[in-house]
Amino acid sequence: MLTGSESAELVVLSLLSEGASYGYQLTKDAAARSEGHLRLTPGVLYPLLRQLENEGLITSSWDAVRAEDADDAGEGRKRKWYRLSPKGKRRLGQRVEAYESLRRVIDAFVGVRPREEGTR
Amino acid sequence: MLTGSESAELVVLSLLSEGASYGYQLTKDAAARSEGHLRLTPGVLYPLLRQLENEGLITSSWDAVRAEDADDAGEGRKRKWYRLSPKGKRRLGQRVEAYESLRRVIDAFVGVRPREEGTR
DNA sequence: GCCAATATATCGGTCGGCGATATATCCGTC
DNA sequence: GACGGATATATCGCCGACCGATATATTGGC
């Protein structure tokens, strides 16, 4: 399981890098991709989306429900579409690097398998 | 940089799986192995050691300073040696598995590189 | 007409990470 | 013999963030 909002940011930016999406879809995508291990609950997701928008990493607009009409702000039902900004794209790159760096650090420890009993 | 105490537990158990050690040494080892990225500060380390001992994952004893005499509780200067218990060894295994699982989950996202502009 | 699924959003209590701080010993050196 | 930096262990409690709980409206299937 994984709910920390640090990884949540990485995941949301990553999903949006593949194209525009919206809140509910993001929770579903996250769960599907991680085979249920990643639960992007409303309490985590929406505050995060707001924060990302405030930082200028994503943009939002209320547009048509159908994906192919996502830019059409005409009549009918709407939902809130989010898109990755250029700044967000850069941030995603940084986050990926940070993750890979962390990965190497932890691997430096878990890569080493136990030796023997007793004292060093 | 990485200070979360979740990873701290993994790291401490991992270091102790290589042999007995003590607080100050653990901070130094952690920094060295991670090339300075992992700062196991006193405020993180000692509460963690206490907790790990309470859970029966490690044991401690005040013994001689010299590593080769670490079991000798005779005269002279002492320091507090920590050792991984069998239970701790099992926990380490679980934590490594959990880490590798998390790793796979995140990789499922960062492995996917950006496609093109616009809508899904 | 009803229920489950879809869709977005806020709030605040709870929990814990970790900076700041305290204390004591050891050793080199001036 | 005293000063300072490194060694070594330990506690405390502030601050802030995480996210469970909750609210609300719409849609679609039966």
Side-chain angles (χ1 to χ4, degrees), chain A residues 2 14 18-21 67 89 99 102-103 106-107 109 115 117-120, chain B residues 2 14 18-21 67 89 99 102-103 106-107 109 112 115 117-120:
Chain A
L2 185 154
S14 182
E18 298 169 40
S21 188
K89 209 164 283 191
Y99 163 70
L102 171 62
R103 204 171 174 287
I106 299 290
D107 283 350
F109 290 92
R115 239 185 24 191
E117 299 298 314
T119 296
R120 136 187 348 273
Chain B
L2 182 157
S14 181
E18 298 169 40
S21 188
K89 208 163 285 188
Y99 164 69
L102 171 62
R103 204 172 175 284
I106 300 290
D107 283 350
F109 290 92
V112 182
R115 240 184 24 193
E117 301 297 316
T119 295
R120 141 187 345 272

PDB file of all heavy atoms in Angstrom, chain A residues 2 14 18-21 67 89 99 102-103 106-107 109 115 117-120, chain B residues 2 14 18-21 67 89 99 102-103 106-107 109 112 115 117-120:
ATOM      1  N   LEU A   2       0.348   2.314  -0.508  1.00  0.00           N
ATOM      2  CA  LEU A   2       1.166   3.513  -0.661  1.00  0.00           C
ATOM      3  C   LEU A   2       0.240   4.711  -0.763  1.00  0.00           C
ATOM      4  O   LEU A   2      -0.538   4.826  -1.685  1.00  0.00           O
ATOM      5  CB  LEU A   2       1.992   3.380  -1.931  1.00  0.00           C
ATOM      6  CG  LEU A   2       3.027   4.435  -2.276  1.00  0.00           C
ATOM      7  CD1 LEU A   2       4.077   3.808  -3.142  1.00  0.00           C
ATOM      8  CD2 LEU A   2       2.405   5.608  -2.961  1.00  0.00           C
ATOM      9  N   SER A  14       2.804  11.962 -13.659  1.00  0.00           N
ATOM     10  CA  SER A  14       3.123  10.936 -14.641  1.00  0.00           C
ATOM     11  C   SER A  14       1.904  10.582 -15.486  1.00  0.00           C
ATOM     12  O   SER A  14       1.988  10.512 -16.717  1.00  0.00           O
ATOM     13  CB  SER A  14       3.644   9.702 -13.916  1.00  0.00           C
ATOM     14  OG  SER A  14       3.995   8.709 -14.846  1.00  0.00           O
ATOM     15  N   GLU A  18       0.673  11.671 -19.944  1.00  0.00           N
ATOM     16  CA  GLU A  18       0.179  10.840 -21.056  1.00  0.00           C
ATOM     17  C   GLU A  18      -1.057  11.431 -21.711  1.00  0.00           C
ATOM     18  O   GLU A  18      -1.587  10.858 -22.656  1.00  0.00           O
ATOM     19  CB  GLU A  18      -0.137   9.431 -20.545  1.00  0.00           C
ATOM     20  CG  GLU A  18       1.093   8.725 -19.997  1.00  0.00           C
ATOM     21  CD  GLU A  18       0.715   7.451 -19.260  1.00  0.00           C
ATOM     22  OE1 GLU A  18      -0.176   6.746 -19.746  1.00  0.00           O
ATOM     23  OE2 GLU A  18       1.283   7.188 -18.192  1.00  0.00           O
ATOM     24  N   GLY A  19      -1.498  12.573 -21.168  1.00  0.00           N
ATOM     25  CA  GLY A  19      -2.671  13.211 -21.756  1.00  0.00           C
ATOM     26  C   GLY A  19      -3.584  13.770 -20.687  1.00  0.00           C
ATOM     27  O   GLY A  19      -3.473  13.406 -19.518  1.00  0.00           O
ATOM     28  N   ALA A  20      -4.496  14.651 -21.089  1.00  0.00           N
ATOM     29  CA  ALA A  20      -5.413  15.274 -20.145  1.00  0.00           C
ATOM     30  C   ALA A  20      -6.258  14.223 -19.453  1.00  0.00           C
ATOM     31  O   ALA A  20      -6.570  13.172 -20.018  1.00  0.00           O
ATOM     32  CB  ALA A  20      -6.305  16.275 -20.867  1.00  0.00           C
ATOM     33  N   SER A  21      -6.595  14.506 -18.201  1.00  0.00           N
ATOM     34  CA  SER A  21      -7.472  13.606 -17.464  1.00  0.00           C
ATOM     35  C   SER A  21      -8.216  14.397 -16.399  1.00  0.00           C
ATOM     36  O   SER A  21      -8.088  15.612 -16.312  1.00  0.00           O
ATOM     37  CB  SER A  21      -6.672  12.462 -16.854  1.00  0.00           C
ATOM     38  OG  SER A  21      -7.546  11.495 -16.288  1.00  0.00           O
ATOM     39  N   ALA A  67     -13.902  12.844 -24.196  1.00  0.00           N
ATOM     40  CA  ALA A  67     -12.473  13.134 -24.273  1.00  0.00           C
ATOM     41  C   ALA A  67     -12.118  13.862 -25.563  1.00  0.00           C
ATOM     42  O   ALA A  67     -11.378  14.850 -25.538  1.00  0.00           O
ATOM     43  CB  ALA A  67     -11.666  11.831 -24.177  1.00  0.00           C
ATOM     44  N   LYS A  89       5.936  19.498 -16.625  1.00  0.00           N
ATOM     45  CA  LYS A  89       6.717  18.489 -17.331  1.00  0.00           C
ATOM     46  C   LYS A  89       8.148  18.476 -16.796  1.00  0.00           C
ATOM     47  O   LYS A  89       8.736  17.414 -16.581  1.00  0.00           O
ATOM     48  CB  LYS A  89       6.699  18.794 -18.840  1.00  0.00           C
ATOM     49  CG  LYS A  89       6.824  17.576 -19.711  1.00  0.00           C
ATOM     50  CD  LYS A  89       6.403  17.867 -21.143  1.00  0.00           C
ATOM     51  CE  LYS A  89       4.902  17.918 -21.315  1.00  0.00           C
ATOM     52  NZ  LYS A  89       4.440  17.937 -22.709  1.00  0.00           N
ATOM     53  N   TYR A  99      13.387  10.226  -7.520  1.00  0.00           N
ATOM     54  CA  TYR A  99      12.974   8.870  -7.190  1.00  0.00           C
ATOM     55  C   TYR A  99      14.078   7.874  -7.508  1.00  0.00           C
ATOM     56  O   TYR A  99      14.390   6.999  -6.711  1.00  0.00           O
ATOM     57  CB  TYR A  99      11.704   8.499  -7.948  1.00  0.00           C
ATOM     58  CG  TYR A  99      11.446   7.019  -7.969  1.00  0.00           C
ATOM     59  CD1 TYR A  99      11.061   6.347  -6.810  1.00  0.00           C
ATOM     60  CD2 TYR A  99      11.624   6.281  -9.134  1.00  0.00           C
ATOM     61  CE1 TYR A  99      10.861   4.972  -6.813  1.00  0.00           C
ATOM     62  CE2 TYR A  99      11.414   4.914  -9.153  1.00  0.00           C
ATOM     63  CZ  TYR A  99      11.040   4.265  -7.988  1.00  0.00           C
ATOM     64  OH  TYR A  99      10.843   2.911  -8.008  1.00  0.00           O
ATOM     65  N   LEU A 102      16.812   8.082  -4.938  1.00  0.00           N
ATOM     66  CA  LEU A 102      16.385   7.417  -3.707  1.00  0.00           C
ATOM     67  C   LEU A 102      16.451   5.904  -3.851  1.00  0.00           C
ATOM     68  O   LEU A 102      16.913   5.192  -2.957  1.00  0.00           O
ATOM     69  CB  LEU A 102      14.945   7.837  -3.386  1.00  0.00           C
ATOM     70  CG  LEU A 102      14.252   7.077  -2.260  1.00  0.00           C
ATOM     71  CD1 LEU A 102      15.003   7.279  -0.950  1.00  0.00           C
ATOM     72  CD2 LEU A 102      12.813   7.547  -2.101  1.00  0.00           C
ATOM     73  N   ARG A 103      16.028   5.466  -4.988  1.00  0.00           N
ATOM     74  CA  ARG A 103      16.040   4.053  -5.328  1.00  0.00           C
ATOM     75  C   ARG A 103      17.456   3.498  -5.213  1.00  0.00           C
ATOM     76  O   ARG A 103      17.673   2.438  -4.627  1.00  0.00           O
ATOM     77  CB  ARG A 103      15.573   3.965  -6.783  1.00  0.00           C
ATOM     78  CG  ARG A 103      14.976   2.717  -7.283  1.00  0.00           C
ATOM     79  CD  ARG A 103      14.433   3.098  -8.677  1.00  0.00           C
ATOM     80  NE  ARG A 103      13.901   2.003  -9.438  1.00  0.00           N
ATOM     81  CZ  ARG A 103      14.624   1.070 -10.014  1.00  0.00           C
ATOM     82  NH1 ARG A 103      15.927   1.088  -9.866  1.00  0.00           N
ATOM     83  NH2 ARG A 103      14.040   0.128 -10.715  1.00  0.00           N
ATOM     84  N   ILE A 106      18.519   3.308  -1.430  1.00  0.00           N
ATOM     85  CA  ILE A 106      17.940   2.169  -0.711  1.00  0.00           C
ATOM     86  C   ILE A 106      18.520   0.855  -1.234  1.00  0.00           C
ATOM     87  O   ILE A 106      18.824  -0.048  -0.459  1.00  0.00           O
ATOM     88  CB  ILE A 106      16.402   2.158  -0.850  1.00  0.00           C
ATOM     89  CG1 ILE A 106      15.803   3.437  -0.251  1.00  0.00           C
ATOM     90  CG2 ILE A 106      15.813   0.942  -0.154  1.00  0.00           C
ATOM     91  CD1 ILE A 106      15.876   3.530   1.240  1.00  0.00           C
ATOM     92  N   ASP A 107      18.701   0.796  -2.540  1.00  0.00           N
ATOM     93  CA  ASP A 107      19.276  -0.424  -3.106  1.00  0.00           C
ATOM     94  C   ASP A 107      20.659  -0.708  -2.537  1.00  0.00           C
ATOM     95  O   ASP A 107      21.055  -1.862  -2.402  1.00  0.00           O
ATOM     96  CB  ASP A 107      19.360  -0.308  -4.631  1.00  0.00           C
ATOM     97  CG  ASP A 107      17.996  -0.511  -5.270  1.00  0.00           C
ATOM     98  OD1 ASP A 107      17.076  -0.925  -4.551  1.00  0.00           O
ATOM     99  OD2 ASP A 107      17.861  -0.249  -6.475  1.00  0.00           O
ATOM    100  N   PHE A 109      21.445  -0.540   0.337  1.00  0.00           N
ATOM    101  CA  PHE A 109      21.277  -1.258   1.595  1.00  0.00           C
ATOM    102  C   PHE A 109      20.629  -2.617   1.386  1.00  0.00           C
ATOM    103  O   PHE A 109      21.134  -3.626   1.847  1.00  0.00           O
ATOM    104  CB  PHE A 109      20.426  -0.437   2.571  1.00  0.00           C
ATOM    105  CG  PHE A 109      21.151   0.771   3.080  1.00  0.00           C
ATOM    106  CD1 PHE A 109      21.040   1.986   2.437  1.00  0.00           C
ATOM    107  CD2 PHE A 109      21.967   0.671   4.191  1.00  0.00           C
ATOM    108  CE1 PHE A 109      21.726   3.086   2.896  1.00  0.00           C
ATOM    109  CE2 PHE A 109      22.650   1.775   4.659  1.00  0.00           C
ATOM    110  CZ  PHE A 109      22.526   2.984   4.013  1.00  0.00           C
ATOM    111  N   ARG A 115      25.090 -11.495   6.322  1.00  0.00           N
ATOM    112  CA  ARG A 115      26.332 -12.273   6.330  1.00  0.00           C
ATOM    113  C   ARG A 115      26.232 -13.459   7.281  1.00  0.00           C
ATOM    114  O   ARG A 115      25.644 -14.461   6.964  1.00  0.00           O
ATOM    115  CB  ARG A 115      27.474 -11.360   6.763  1.00  0.00           C
ATOM    116  CG  ARG A 115      28.585 -11.244   5.752  1.00  0.00           C
ATOM    117  CD  ARG A 115      29.714 -10.428   6.338  1.00  0.00           C
ATOM    118  NE  ARG A 115      29.673 -10.482   7.814  1.00  0.00           N
ATOM    119  CZ  ARG A 115      30.375  -9.722   8.604  1.00  0.00           C
ATOM    120  NH1 ARG A 115      31.169  -8.812   8.094  1.00  0.00           N
ATOM    121  NH2 ARG A 115      30.303  -9.829   9.915  1.00  0.00           N
ATOM    122  N   GLU A 117      26.204 -14.722  11.780  1.00  0.00           N
ATOM    123  CA  GLU A 117      25.809 -14.318  13.132  1.00  0.00           C
ATOM    124  C   GLU A 117      26.887 -13.460  13.766  1.00  0.00           C
ATOM    125  O   GLU A 117      28.006 -13.383  13.280  1.00  0.00           O
ATOM    126  CB  GLU A 117      25.582 -15.551  14.013  1.00  0.00           C
ATOM    127  CG  GLU A 117      24.493 -16.464  13.505  1.00  0.00           C
ATOM    128  CD  GLU A 117      23.153 -15.770  13.476  1.00  0.00           C
ATOM    129  OE1 GLU A 117      22.812 -15.113  14.463  1.00  0.00           O
ATOM    130  OE2 GLU A 117      22.444 -15.849  12.449  1.00  0.00           O
ATOM    131  N   GLY A 118      26.534 -12.849  14.893  1.00  0.00           N
ATOM    132  CA  GLY A 118      27.529 -12.230  15.774  1.00  0.00           C
ATOM    133  C   GLY A 118      28.004 -10.859  15.348  1.00  0.00           C
ATOM    134  O   GLY A 118      27.274 -10.098  14.701  1.00  0.00           O
ATOM    135  N   THR A 119      29.228 -10.548  15.730  1.00  0.00           N
ATOM    136  CA  THR A 119      29.782  -9.202  15.682  1.00  0.00           C
ATOM    137  C   THR A 119      30.429  -8.913  14.340  1.00  0.00           C
ATOM    138  O   THR A 119      30.941  -9.814  13.688  1.00  0.00           O
ATOM    139  CB  THR A 119      30.838  -9.054  16.788  1.00  0.00           C
ATOM    140  OG1 THR A 119      30.182  -9.200  18.037  1.00  0.00           O
ATOM    141  CG2 THR A 119      31.518  -7.727  16.729  1.00  0.00           C
ATOM    142  N   ARG A 120      30.370  -7.624  13.994  1.00  0.00           N
ATOM    143  CA  ARG A 120      30.970  -7.184  12.747  1.00  0.00           C
ATOM    144  C   ARG A 120      32.426  -7.596  12.679  1.00  0.00           C
ATOM    145  O   ARG A 120      33.154  -7.456  13.588  1.00  0.00           O
ATOM    146  CB  ARG A 120      30.807  -5.679  12.682  1.00  0.00           C
ATOM    147  CG  ARG A 120      32.008  -4.898  12.220  1.00  0.00           C
ATOM    148  CD  ARG A 120      31.786  -3.413  12.348  1.00  0.00           C
ATOM    149  NE  ARG A 120      30.382  -3.082  12.625  1.00  0.00           N
ATOM    150  CZ  ARG A 120      29.485  -2.908  11.661  1.00  0.00           C
ATOM    151  NH1 ARG A 120      29.844  -3.006  10.432  1.00  0.00           N
ATOM    152  NH2 ARG A 120      28.250  -2.629  11.966  1.00  0.00           N
TER     153      ARG A 120
ATOM    154  N   LEU B   2      16.889  12.024   2.394  1.00  0.00           N
ATOM    155  CA  LEU B   2      15.893  11.023   2.773  1.00  0.00           C
ATOM    156  C   LEU B   2      15.940  10.864   4.278  1.00  0.00           C
ATOM    157  O   LEU B   2      16.939  10.459   4.829  1.00  0.00           O
ATOM    158  CB  LEU B   2      16.239   9.711   2.085  1.00  0.00           C
ATOM    159  CG  LEU B   2      15.352   8.499   2.261  1.00  0.00           C
ATOM    160  CD1 LEU B   2      15.575   7.581   1.078  1.00  0.00           C
ATOM    161  CD2 LEU B   2      15.637   7.786   3.538  1.00  0.00           C
ATOM    162  N   SER B  14      18.857  -3.374   8.139  1.00  0.00           N
ATOM    163  CA  SER B  14      19.775  -3.868   7.123  1.00  0.00           C
ATOM    164  C   SER B  14      21.221  -3.806   7.606  1.00  0.00           C
ATOM    165  O   SER B  14      21.978  -4.764   7.479  1.00  0.00           O
ATOM    166  CB  SER B  14      19.608  -3.055   5.851  1.00  0.00           C
ATOM    167  OG  SER B  14      20.473  -3.519   4.844  1.00  0.00           O
ATOM    168  N   GLU B  18      24.246  -7.133   9.149  1.00  0.00           N
ATOM    169  CA  GLU B  18      25.648  -7.412   8.805  1.00  0.00           C
ATOM    170  C   GLU B  18      26.514  -7.577  10.039  1.00  0.00           C
ATOM    171  O   GLU B  18      27.717  -7.794   9.935  1.00  0.00           O
ATOM    172  CB  GLU B  18      26.202  -6.282   7.933  1.00  0.00           C
ATOM    173  CG  GLU B  18      25.451  -6.148   6.621  1.00  0.00           C
ATOM    174  CD  GLU B  18      25.830  -4.868   5.901  1.00  0.00           C
ATOM    175  OE1 GLU B  18      27.022  -4.522   5.911  1.00  0.00           O
ATOM    176  OE2 GLU B  18      24.929  -4.199   5.354  1.00  0.00           O
ATOM    177  N   GLY B  19      25.913  -7.437  11.215  1.00  0.00           N
ATOM    178  CA  GLY B  19      26.677  -7.591  12.447  1.00  0.00           C
ATOM    179  C   GLY B  19      26.301  -6.533  13.462  1.00  0.00           C
ATOM    180  O   GLY B  19      25.688  -5.518  13.127  1.00  0.00           O
ATOM    181  N   ALA B  20      26.662  -6.785  14.732  1.00  0.00           N
ATOM    182  CA  ALA B  20      26.332  -5.859  15.807  1.00  0.00           C
ATOM    183  C   ALA B  20      26.909  -4.475  15.535  1.00  0.00           C
ATOM    184  O   ALA B  20      27.958  -4.348  14.899  1.00  0.00           O
ATOM    185  CB  ALA B  20      26.848  -6.388  17.132  1.00  0.00           C
ATOM    186  N   SER B  21      26.207  -3.455  15.988  1.00  0.00           N
ATOM    187  CA  SER B  21      26.716  -2.089  15.849  1.00  0.00           C
ATOM    188  C   SER B  21      26.109  -1.237  16.951  1.00  0.00           C
ATOM    189  O   SER B  21      25.396  -1.736  17.821  1.00  0.00           O
ATOM    190  CB  SER B  21      26.392  -1.540  14.471  1.00  0.00           C
ATOM    191  OG  SER B  21      27.035  -0.296  14.264  1.00  0.00           O
ATOM    192  N   ALA B  67      35.199  -3.963  19.221  1.00  0.00           N
ATOM    193  CA  ALA B  67      34.242  -4.833  18.542  1.00  0.00           C
ATOM    194  C   ALA B  67      34.499  -6.297  18.867  1.00  0.00           C
ATOM    195  O   ALA B  67      33.577  -7.043  19.186  1.00  0.00           O
ATOM    196  CB  ALA B  67      34.318  -4.622  17.028  1.00  0.00           C
ATOM    197  N   LYS B  89      15.174 -10.264  11.924  1.00  0.00           N
ATOM    198  CA  LYS B  89      15.628 -10.775  10.639  1.00  0.00           C
ATOM    199  C   LYS B  89      14.434 -11.027   9.728  1.00  0.00           C
ATOM    200  O   LYS B  89      14.454 -10.700   8.544  1.00  0.00           O
ATOM    201  CB  LYS B  89      16.431 -12.070  10.867  1.00  0.00           C
ATOM    202  CG  LYS B  89      17.464 -12.341   9.810  1.00  0.00           C
ATOM    203  CD  LYS B  89      18.496 -13.367  10.276  1.00  0.00           C
ATOM    204  CE  LYS B  89      19.497 -12.790  11.270  1.00  0.00           C
ATOM    205  NZ  LYS B  89      20.617 -13.705  11.587  1.00  0.00           N
ATOM    206  N   TYR B  99       9.450  -3.000   0.135  1.00  0.00           N
ATOM    207  CA  TYR B  99      10.161  -1.995  -0.647  1.00  0.00           C
ATOM    208  C   TYR B  99      10.177  -2.369  -2.121  1.00  0.00           C
ATOM    209  O   TYR B  99       9.914  -1.545  -2.986  1.00  0.00           O
ATOM    210  CB  TYR B  99      11.593  -1.824  -0.140  1.00  0.00           C
ATOM    211  CG  TYR B  99      12.470  -1.107  -1.123  1.00  0.00           C
ATOM    212  CD1 TYR B  99      12.283   0.247  -1.400  1.00  0.00           C
ATOM    213  CD2 TYR B  99      13.472  -1.786  -1.821  1.00  0.00           C
ATOM    214  CE1 TYR B  99      13.069   0.895  -2.331  1.00  0.00           C
ATOM    215  CE2 TYR B  99      14.255  -1.140  -2.749  1.00  0.00           C
ATOM    216  CZ  TYR B  99      14.058   0.191  -3.007  1.00  0.00           C
ATOM    217  OH  TYR B  99      14.830   0.830  -3.931  1.00  0.00           O
ATOM    218  N   LEU B 102       6.805  -1.792  -3.640  1.00  0.00           N
ATOM    219  CA  LEU B 102       6.611  -0.357  -3.883  1.00  0.00           C
ATOM    220  C   LEU B 102       7.388   0.104  -5.104  1.00  0.00           C
ATOM    221  O   LEU B 102       6.894   0.860  -5.941  1.00  0.00           O
ATOM    222  CB  LEU B 102       7.078   0.417  -2.648  1.00  0.00           C
ATOM    223  CG  LEU B 102       7.158   1.928  -2.792  1.00  0.00           C
ATOM    224  CD1 LEU B 102       5.781   2.507  -3.095  1.00  0.00           C
ATOM    225  CD2 LEU B 102       7.724   2.552  -1.524  1.00  0.00           C
ATOM    226  N   ARG B 103       8.590  -0.384  -5.197  1.00  0.00           N
ATOM    227  CA  ARG B 103       9.480  -0.088  -6.298  1.00  0.00           C
ATOM    228  C   ARG B 103       8.827  -0.464  -7.625  1.00  0.00           C
ATOM    229  O   ARG B 103       8.829   0.314  -8.585  1.00  0.00           O
ATOM    230  CB  ARG B 103      10.711  -0.950  -6.073  1.00  0.00           C
ATOM    231  CG  ARG B 103      12.010  -0.552  -6.670  1.00  0.00           C
ATOM    232  CD  ARG B 103      13.019  -1.539  -6.068  1.00  0.00           C
ATOM    233  NE  ARG B 103      14.353  -1.429  -6.587  1.00  0.00           N
ATOM    234  CZ  ARG B 103      14.718  -1.880  -7.776  1.00  0.00           C
ATOM    235  NH1 ARG B 103      13.841  -2.406  -8.585  1.00  0.00           N
ATOM    236  NH2 ARG B 103      15.982  -1.767  -8.135  1.00  0.00           N
ATOM    237  N   ILE B 106       5.871   2.011  -8.380  1.00  0.00           N
ATOM    238  CA  ILE B 106       6.325   3.309  -8.884  1.00  0.00           C
ATOM    239  C   ILE B 106       6.932   3.167 -10.276  1.00  0.00           C
ATOM    240  O   ILE B 106       6.689   3.996 -11.152  1.00  0.00           O
ATOM    241  CB  ILE B 106       7.344   3.953  -7.924  1.00  0.00           C
ATOM    242  CG1 ILE B 106       6.726   4.173  -6.551  1.00  0.00           C
ATOM    243  CG2 ILE B 106       7.832   5.270  -8.486  1.00  0.00           C
ATOM    244  CD1 ILE B 106       5.686   5.248  -6.504  1.00  0.00           C
ATOM    245  N   ASP B 107       7.683   2.112 -10.473  1.00  0.00           N
ATOM    246  CA  ASP B 107       8.286   1.893 -11.778  1.00  0.00           C
ATOM    247  C   ASP B 107       7.228   1.777 -12.871  1.00  0.00           C
ATOM    248  O   ASP B 107       7.460   2.161 -14.013  1.00  0.00           O
ATOM    249  CB  ASP B 107       9.147   0.626 -11.760  1.00  0.00           C
ATOM    250  CG  ASP B 107      10.473   0.865 -11.065  1.00  0.00           C
ATOM    251  OD1 ASP B 107      10.774   2.048 -10.787  1.00  0.00           O
ATOM    252  OD2 ASP B 107      11.206  -0.097 -10.797  1.00  0.00           O
ATOM    253  N   PHE B 109       4.837   3.541 -13.199  1.00  0.00           N
ATOM    254  CA  PHE B 109       4.483   4.896 -13.627  1.00  0.00           C
ATOM    255  C   PHE B 109       5.660   5.607 -14.275  1.00  0.00           C
ATOM    256  O   PHE B 109       5.528   6.149 -15.357  1.00  0.00           O
ATOM    257  CB  PHE B 109       3.977   5.709 -12.441  1.00  0.00           C
ATOM    258  CG  PHE B 109       2.640   5.250 -11.964  1.00  0.00           C
ATOM    259  CD1 PHE B 109       2.540   4.300 -10.965  1.00  0.00           C
ATOM    260  CD2 PHE B 109       1.489   5.745 -12.538  1.00  0.00           C
ATOM    261  CE1 PHE B 109       1.304   3.856 -10.532  1.00  0.00           C
ATOM    262  CE2 PHE B 109       0.248   5.308 -12.115  1.00  0.00           C
ATOM    263  CZ  PHE B 109       0.152   4.358 -11.111  1.00  0.00           C
ATOM    264  N   VAL B 112       6.877   4.721 -17.840  1.00  0.00           N
ATOM    265  CA  VAL B 112       6.158   5.245 -18.998  1.00  0.00           C
ATOM    266  C   VAL B 112       6.607   6.661 -19.295  1.00  0.00           C
ATOM    267  O   VAL B 112       6.378   7.565 -18.501  1.00  0.00           O
ATOM    268  CB  VAL B 112       4.635   5.240 -18.733  1.00  0.00           C
ATOM    269  CG1 VAL B 112       3.897   5.744 -19.948  1.00  0.00           C
ATOM    270  CG2 VAL B 112       4.179   3.849 -18.348  1.00  0.00           C
ATOM    271  N   ARG B 115       4.131  10.908 -23.960  1.00  0.00           N
ATOM    272  CA  ARG B 115       3.787  10.610 -25.341  1.00  0.00           C
ATOM    273  C   ARG B 115       3.818  11.868 -26.188  1.00  0.00           C
ATOM    274  O   ARG B 115       4.869  12.324 -26.615  1.00  0.00           O
ATOM    275  CB  ARG B 115       2.388   9.998 -25.380  1.00  0.00           C
ATOM    276  CG  ARG B 115       2.345   8.610 -25.972  1.00  0.00           C
ATOM    277  CD  ARG B 115       0.896   8.165 -26.055  1.00  0.00           C
ATOM    278  NE  ARG B 115       0.014   9.366 -26.088  1.00  0.00           N
ATOM    279  CZ  ARG B 115      -1.287   9.311 -25.905  1.00  0.00           C
ATOM    280  NH1 ARG B 115      -1.854   8.163 -25.657  1.00  0.00           N
ATOM    281  NH2 ARG B 115      -2.020  10.400 -25.958  1.00  0.00           N
ATOM    282  N   GLU B 117       1.604  15.837 -27.093  1.00  0.00           N
ATOM    283  CA  GLU B 117       0.815  16.907 -26.494  1.00  0.00           C
ATOM    284  C   GLU B 117      -0.664  16.539 -26.490  1.00  0.00           C
ATOM    285  O   GLU B 117      -1.089  15.607 -27.157  1.00  0.00           O
ATOM    286  CB  GLU B 117       0.986  18.210 -27.288  1.00  0.00           C
ATOM    287  CG  GLU B 117       2.414  18.688 -27.355  1.00  0.00           C
ATOM    288  CD  GLU B 117       2.972  19.025 -25.986  1.00  0.00           C
ATOM    289  OE1 GLU B 117       2.272  19.676 -25.209  1.00  0.00           O
ATOM    290  OE2 GLU B 117       4.113  18.615 -25.685  1.00  0.00           O
ATOM    291  N   GLY B 118      -1.454  17.337 -25.743  1.00  0.00           N
ATOM    292  CA  GLY B 118      -2.901  17.284 -25.880  1.00  0.00           C
ATOM    293  C   GLY B 118      -3.584  16.173 -25.113  1.00  0.00           C
ATOM    294  O   GLY B 118      -3.119  15.741 -24.085  1.00  0.00           O
ATOM    295  N   THR B 119      -4.714  15.742 -25.670  1.00  0.00           N
ATOM    296  CA  THR B 119      -5.662  14.902 -24.961  1.00  0.00           C
ATOM    297  C   THR B 119      -5.365  13.422 -25.169  1.00  0.00           C
ATOM    298  O   THR B 119      -4.864  13.035 -26.213  1.00  0.00           O
ATOM    299  CB  THR B 119      -7.080  15.213 -25.469  1.00  0.00           C
ATOM    300  OG1 THR B 119      -7.384  16.544 -25.119  1.00  0.00           O
ATOM    301  CG2 THR B 119      -8.097  14.292 -24.866  1.00  0.00           C
ATOM    302  N   ARG B 120      -5.726  12.669 -24.152  1.00  0.00           N
ATOM    303  CA  ARG B 120      -5.572  11.214 -24.216  1.00  0.00           C
ATOM    304  C   ARG B 120      -6.192  10.633 -25.446  1.00  0.00           C
ATOM    305  O   ARG B 120      -7.239  10.990 -25.860  1.00  0.00           O
ATOM    306  CB  ARG B 120      -6.212  10.655 -22.956  1.00  0.00           C
ATOM    307  CG  ARG B 120      -7.001   9.376 -23.107  1.00  0.00           C
ATOM    308  CD  ARG B 120      -7.731   8.986 -21.852  1.00  0.00           C
ATOM    309  NE  ARG B 120      -7.240   9.737 -20.694  1.00  0.00           N
ATOM    310  CZ  ARG B 120      -6.218   9.328 -19.969  1.00  0.00           C
ATOM    311  NH1 ARG B 120      -5.622   8.215 -20.282  1.00  0.00           N
ATOM    312  NH2 ARG B 120      -5.797  10.044 -18.958  1.00  0.00           N
TER     313      ARG B 120
END
